[in-house]
Amino acid sequence: MDVIELLPRLHLLRFPVGQAYLWRDGEELTLIDAGTIGAGPVIAEAIRALGRAPEDVRRIVLTHFHEDHVGGAGEFAALSGAEVLAHRLDAPFVRGAAPGPAPRLAEWELPIRAQVARRLPEGTPLPPPSVTEVTDGEVLGFGGGAQVVHVPGHTDGSIALHLPAEGVLFTGDTVAALPAEGVLSPGEPVPKDSVEHTLIPGVFNLDRPRLLDSVRRLADLGAEVACFGHGDPVLRGAAAELRRAAAM
């Protein structure tokens, strides 16, 4: 796993499939998404390498129930005692009470989905000890007041997290960034001005028309920084990039 500082209070945790984010408020940490099965101990070790303890993570906020975002949540919650939060519509699947609905794949998505599936660890995720349900408009106690934004389409209970005081937006898989060669290599400075990002609406969705409505909602938030479940974050001028993605 790569650990990359994006901002003084924000780190990207990049896994073989997908990524998570670590936000710092003083002595308190928040984890946004939790990687695949087996990621819990890896996240704990990364936090220790940053000079902190896993117990400093007070909450794990899950953007949706897919295995590359929730696979490590139960593991890391057991290690840290962190509270796990998810939207009420996705919470049953995070708890392991039922399997989540499969995405409705377009023909062109089938080979991509098969390629991703080959890279995912086998097994069943450890369910979190408990899951706190959140709803649209709720304000969470980190980042100066993180607003929960319900963005259905990728899954029914997908959420984004908007930190208006910081100008930061976590989109989950509602938006993705296409790979940019040479960007965000471990140990290298993060370019803020010279990289052109190509953002696209998320793939592997339950309802693409609803997803596109959700992308437009995110574009209207006016965020400066946008962090995605897949692909390099946009660290400057994110709102304009999101508006272009919403027009696709």
Side-chain angles (χ1 to χ4, degrees):
M1 180 183 70
D2 297 332
V3 180
I4 303 161
E5 181 178 291
L6 302 176
L7 301 170
R9 298 167 64 186
L10 177 62
H11 283 79
L12 165 67
L13 311 180
R14 177 166 284 164
F15 307 101
V17 176
Q19 50 209 32
Y21 296 90
L22 190 68
W23 179 268
R24 178 177 59 81
D25 290 295
E27 297 302 309
E28 182 176 300
L29 302 175
T30 297
L31 183 66
I32 296 100
D33 288 328
T36 58
I37 294 170
V42 179
I43 294 171
E45 185 56 37
I47 289 171
R48 293 187 188 100
L50 293 172
R52 307 299 298 270
E55 293 79 10
D56 294 337
V57 178
R58 303 300 169 83
R59 63 190 66 81
I60 305 164
V61 188
L62 301 174
T63 60
H64 61 291
F65 74 83
H66 287 163
E67 60 268 47
D68 54 329
H69 292 256
V70 307
E75 301 165 355
F76 187 75
L79 288 168
S80 64
E83 179 184 20
V84 177
L85 301 93
H87 190 273
R88 62 177 182 84
L89 294 178
D90 274 16
F93 315 129
V94 174
R95 294 187 182 103
R104 300 184 178 100
L105 300 177
E107 192 71 26
W108 63 268
E109 292 178 300
L110 293 172
I112 304 172
R113 177 69 173 179
Q115 183 181 25
V116 170
R118 287 193 292 270
R119 299 172 63 192
L120 290 170
E122 295 183 359
T124 302
L126 175 69
S130 63
V131 178
T132 300
E133 297 183 3
V134 299
T135 58
D136 186 56
E138 190 168 342
V139 178
L140 306 181
F142 73 96
Q147 297 177 355
V148 175
V149 184
H150 185 210
V151 283
H154 186 64
T155 69
D156 289 337
S158 286
I159 60 170
L161 297 167
H162 183 214
L163 282 56
E166 303 288 343
V168 174
L169 175 67
F170 300 94
T171 73
D173 282 0
T174 299
V175 181
L178 295 180
E181 199 66 36
V183 178
L184 297 188
S185 298
E188 295 294 325
V190 179
K192 291 184 172 63
D193 301 308
S194 60
V195 177
E196 285 193 19
H197 296 79
T198 301
L199 305 188
I200 62 170
V203 297
F204 311 156
N205 304 305
L206 281 178
D207 187 329
R208 182 171 171 82
R210 291 186 80 194
L211 175 96
L212 295 176
D213 287 342
S214 292
V215 176
R216 287 187 279 271
R217 184 181 184 191
L218 293 181
D220 288 343
L221 294 175
E224 181 72 8
V225 175
C227 300
F228 317 108
H230 301 271
D232 294 331
V234 174
L235 300 179
R236 182 168 179 172
E241 301 287 346
L242 289 165
R243 282 192 288 272
R244 280 192 279 273
M248 290 185 176

